[in-house]
Amino acid sequence: MTAVLLDAQNITISYGRLGPQPVVRDVSIAVRRGQIVHLRGPSGAGKSSLLRVFAGLQPPQSGGVRLGGVDIAAARPGERARVRREVVAYLAQDPPLIAEFDLVTNVALPAMIARGRRREARRDARVWLERLGVGARTKHRRVEISGGELRRAAIARVLATGSPLLLMDEPFADLDAANIAIVAAAMAEQVCRGAGVLLASHVPLPAELEQVEMYDIGAPQPVESTWP
Amino acid sequence: MRSRAAAGLGRASVLLDYSARHWLSGWWLNSRRLIFVVIVLAFMVALAGFVPAMRFQATAAYDHAGYAVRVNGLLTEANVAKLERQTGLAGAPMSLVSTSVLAGGRTSSVDLYLGRKASDQARTCFTAALRVSGRPVRSAGGDEIALDWVSAKTLRVSPGDRVSLVSPLDQKQRFPATVVGVYASSGPTRKAAFVAPGAFTKAFGAKFASQSLGQAPALYSDVYFGTRGPNEKIAVAKVEEVAQSNAELLVEPRAAKGARVRREAADLIGPGADRLVPGLAGLVLIVVLLREQHHRLRRRRQEMGLLVSFGFGPGAVRRMVVGETVIEAAIGGALAIPLGRWLLAEQFQLYLPRSSVTAMRADLVVVLGLVGVLGLAQVRWLMARYALKDLMEGEG
């Protein structure tokens, strides 16, 4: 797979029923293997929208996104679904857990879908839950855990996919300092293994995440493009 | 490395697992879902038995002979339809009109009042009717009769019971007979559902030979309607009014002038009551179903989006939603039809044929059921598409 995991060029995102109002204008960004990019910007700047676009879940008003070298807009639905399965793991700002599943099944679900190996996926999920300090809650369901535990379970779900590109929206929200450190260490480890991380956060990043490249929305920075 | 097919099967099993858990989880504890089940059951009960139930209620009014309505002309479909539309007589089941069989008495002493058909044939055939119990009348069996199921239920008789037949011309003349079969008339063909015994015909003349009204209309027929006891509060429908309302029908009070008949539901809200009430129930059901489905899909929208973000195509999620609908509808129907029949037969004392669905409407129930399931599946497909709209732009 190409070293450039995410290559987004001139992304513009607009909302509004009475006429599209641009929220994000001409953003170009790239994430490579072994790289952490911190997406910064004030509330409402469009960080979450950008992450959704990069995850292939929302089409931009204009601009193009390549995930793992695949042009998402031009790809067929099946190919797009494959990219979502195999290239990207996305942590939403309010990450949902499926209420009917216990925590370990929730965490194992994306890996089950991607690889179809249920037992292996559940084993990995337990390992990640244990590591992020939610190991005692594997049999619990969404309504039985706290907000911080839910956030860590959702992060475990992203990390358990083994996807090369991790898109994380506010991963440190609801977490205390000790847990922030644990999560950051886990993310840093993934980066060392060759993953690329794009995270949006309004809080300062912990020290465990070193050599983070900053990207401020509203202050476009030229990036080297893989687009022809 | 696992093949793509194996991975695809694995994904399908995950979707199935999710769907099954979602469906089963808290089903019996979720009041909203219980309400949904009750509504579906109610609908199926209404579908399977409401119209027959109303018709049976109408027959219950004819417990005793009260007065006669003489159709002064051919007993054609049109005349019978007019008769059915009369105030106070509305809801008279076709089977009673055409058979001229009157309900009354108890099993041990049942009087059947035979309609006299001026075409001199009272015996009718069951060529287009469905036998629900017993056997056909043997041509050599002079004292055998078969009844339509409404009459059999009203009279509380079944094959094997002895009944006595009474001539409307001379009520002192009685003729013992054995009920050998019960039939459900076939509906649109409107075959008369009564067979006069051959010996009875012999006793009273050729006037009482068998005839299919649908094939050869009688010149006129005496039709008897009953009243309940004098102390029972029943709606008034004076026979004169009946006569005045349609000059083609001549009404003769037989038991007492000003005889009363029970006002039936059809009278209270119009002659189309048997279609109106289930129709309204159906409309209410559709609205409630759509709201319920919309609510369920909205609640699951986030989860469906999550599944898409994990790598399912929106098409797969939509197929899952439609599959759920088909399975739910199939389970609901399989439960509702026997339950509906049990409620109608055991709790409301209504007689229904013993086939799996109401025999007269088996085809209708099946067609409506299929249309309902497919329609609901289509609606949920559209709702799922709407719910996933912003995840599906540009995707199939």
Side-chain angles (χ1 to χ4, degrees):
Chain A
M1 189 179 288
T2 172
V4 180
L5 296 167
L6 167 70
D7 181 7
Q9 287 294 318
N10 307 113
I11 300 296
T12 297
I13 303 170
S14 303
Y15 293 113
R17 278 188 200 172
L18 303 176
Q21 299 292 319
V23 175
V24 175
R25 207 188 284 268
D26 284 333
V27 169
S28 297
I29 199 168
V31 178
R32 293 176 180 76
R33 287 186 173 276
Q35 184 184 23
I36 300 177
V37 178
H38 180 196
L39 199 58
R40 295 191 304 189
S43 179
K47 300 187 294 294
S48 297
S49 295
L50 269 175
L51 286 188
R52 281 179 56 78
V53 168
F54 296 158
L57 297 174
Q58 177 181 333
Q61 204 74 20
S62 64
V65 177
R66 277 175 184 266
L67 285 172
V70 176
D71 179 359
I72 288 298
R76 296 169 62 129
E79 175 71 354
R80 214 176 302 175
R82 185 195 65 79
V83 169
R84 282 199 287 262
R85 272 197 307 274
E86 297 176 2
V87 178
V88 191
Y90 168 62
L91 174 75
Q93 193 169 12
D94 294 312
L97 293 185
I98 294 174
E100 284 76 18
F101 287 151
D102 59 20
L103 226 50
V104 70
T105 310
N106 262 292
V107 171
L109 206 54
M112 285 181 189
I113 293 168
R115 296 189 287 277
R117 295 190 176 105
R118 287 171 167 250
R119 195 171 294 172
E120 187 184 301
R122 292 177 70 85
R123 190 193 60 214
D124 290 350
R126 277 197 198 88
V127 169
W128 277 110
L129 284 169
E130 197 72 49
R131 187 160 169 198
L132 297 188
V134 210
R137 297 271 193 250
T138 52
K139 293 289 178 193
H140 288 61
R141 295 190 179 192
R142 188 176 65 188
V143 292
E144 298 165 337
I145 58 174
S146 72
E149 286 168 333
L150 186 149
R151 173 81 50 185
R152 278 179 282 156
I155 292 169
R157 185 166 63 190
V158 168
L159 297 172
T161 59
S163 299
L165 177 61
L166 310 181
L167 303 176
M168 310 187 91
D169 199 353
E170 300 292 356
F172 306 119
D174 303 322
L175 300 184
D176 55 29
N179 281 314
I180 286 176
I182 291 172
V183 168
M187 285 166 62
E189 184 186 305
Q190 293 300 100
V191 172
C192 286
R193 289 179 179 174
V197 177
L198 175 62
L199 58 90
S201 175
H202 66 275
V203 298
L205 297 190
E208 285 80 3
L209 296 180
E210 297 169 343
Q211 297 180 336
V212 176
E213 187 174 318
M214 302 295 179
Y215 188 97
D216 291 303
I217 301 181
Q221 301 163 26
V223 295
E224 186 186 338
S225 173
T226 60
W227 289 79
Chain B
M1 187 181 234
R2 281 161 68 101
S3 69
R4 287 181 64 180
L9 278 177
R11 280 197 293 281
S13 75
V14 167
L15 215 52
L16 200 64
D17 189 13
Y18 161 72
S19 193
R21 284 180 193 239
H22 192 277
W23 195 81
L24 290 171
S25 170
W27 175 270
W28 305 110
L29 301 175
N30 186 324
S31 59
R32 190 174 280 274
R33 284 183 180 179
L34 272 180
I35 290 169
F36 176 73
V37 171
V38 168
I39 289 169
V40 170
L41 285 178
F43 176 65
M44 297 306 284
V45 167
L47 197 66
F50 195 90
V51 175
M54 281 197 63
R55 293 195 167 191
F56 178 78
Q57 276 202 350
T59 69
Y62 313 123
D63 281 359
H64 305 282
Y67 57 88
V69 176
R70 172 168 291 167
V71 178
N72 199 11
L74 290 175
L75 189 59
T76 58
E77 294 281 329
N79 265 345
V80 171
K82 282 177 189 167
L83 193 65
E84 286 186 305
R85 285 199 295 271
Q86 296 307 302
T87 308
L89 304 181
M94 189 62 211
S95 53
L96 278 193
V97 173
S98 55
T99 60
S100 305
V101 172
L102 244 236
R106 295 158 295 282
T107 306
S108 57
S109 172
V110 175
D111 292 342
L112 292 181
Y113 292 79
L114 297 184
R116 181 166 63 85
K117 313 245 175 352
S119 63
D120 63 30
Q121 293 175 347
R123 183 168 182 160
T124 55
C125 61
F126 283 108
T127 53
L130 175 71
R131 181 157 50 87
V132 292
S133 65
R135 61 168 172 78
V137 173
R138 281 193 293 257
S139 55
D143 64 341
E144 292 181 353
I145 63 166
L147 295 174
D148 71 291
W149 62 267
V150 176
S151 300
K153 179 64 182 176
T154 311
L155 296 166
R156 298 189 185 89
V157 297
S158 53
D161 285 341
R162 296 283 290 176
V163 296
S164 68
L165 306 177
V166 181
S167 166
L169 304 176
D170 180 1
Q171 296 199 11
K172 289 178 184 171
Q173 288 194 51
R174 292 176 177 247
F175 187 87
T178 303
V179 177
V180 295
V182 175
Y183 285 75
S185 51
S186 57
T189 58
R190 307 232 171 191
K191 300 287 182 190
F194 178 73
V195 173
F200 188 81
T201 308
K202 197 180 290 178
F204 295 107
K207 291 177 180 178
F208 297 97
S210 65
Q211 181 198 9
S212 166
L213 294 178
Q215 293 166 4
L219 291 177
Y220 73 94
S221 175
D222 285 346
V223 184
Y224 298 81
F225 296 92
T227 64
R228 290 195 178 273
N231 296 328
E232 187 171 340
K233 286 190 175 180
I234 49 180
V236 175
K238 287 183 180 175
V239 287
E240 288 84 356
E241 290 174 359
V242 178
Q244 287 163 9
S245 64
N246 191 328
E248 291 179 37
L249 300 176
L250 173 66
V251 178
E252 290 180 349
R254 183 174 290 272
K257 196 165 185 179
R260 293 160 173 238
V261 296
R262 188 166 61 168
R263 189 183 287 261
E264 301 299 339
D267 301 316
L268 298 173
I269 45 180
D274 59 343
R275 293 184 190 89
L276 181 69
V277 175
L280 282 176
L283 270 180
V284 170
L285 176 87
I286 288 169
V287 171
V288 172
L289 271 179
L290 289 180
R291 273 190 64 84
E292 214 283 335
Q293 297 295 315
H294 181 62
H295 174 86
R296 282 171 65 184
L297 283 177
R298 266 189 74 174
R299 196 173 66 80
R300 291 173 67 187
R301 184 181 181 280
Q302 207 179 19
E303 288 182 5
M304 291 193 292
L306 193 67
L307 291 174
V308 171
S309 79
F310 289 164
F312 279 115
V317 176
R318 281 203 309 272
R319 282 194 292 276
M320 175 194 76
V321 169
V322 170
E324 286 175 5
T325 308
V326 172
I327 291 169
E328 279 179 22
I331 293 172
L335 288 174
I337 289 176
L339 183 62
R341 286 175 51 76
W342 176 78
L343 280 175
L344 290 169
E346 301 298 327
Q347 301 306 305
F348 300 116
Q349 295 294 307
L350 297 180
Y351 179 84
L352 293 174
R354 289 173 190 163
S355 54
S356 59
V357 292
T358 305
M360 287 186 293
R361 292 181 168 73
D363 49 350
L364 188 67
V365 168
V366 169
V367 169
L368 283 178
L370 280 175
V371 169
V373 168
L374 294 177
L376 195 58
Q378 176 69 17
V379 166
R380 283 199 77 183
W381 187 88
L382 288 170
M383 284 181 168
R385 191 182 171 88
Y386 179 75
L388 291 166
K389 192 178 172 190
D390 50 353
L391 293 172
M392 291 175 54
E393 290 181 38
E395 298 203 15

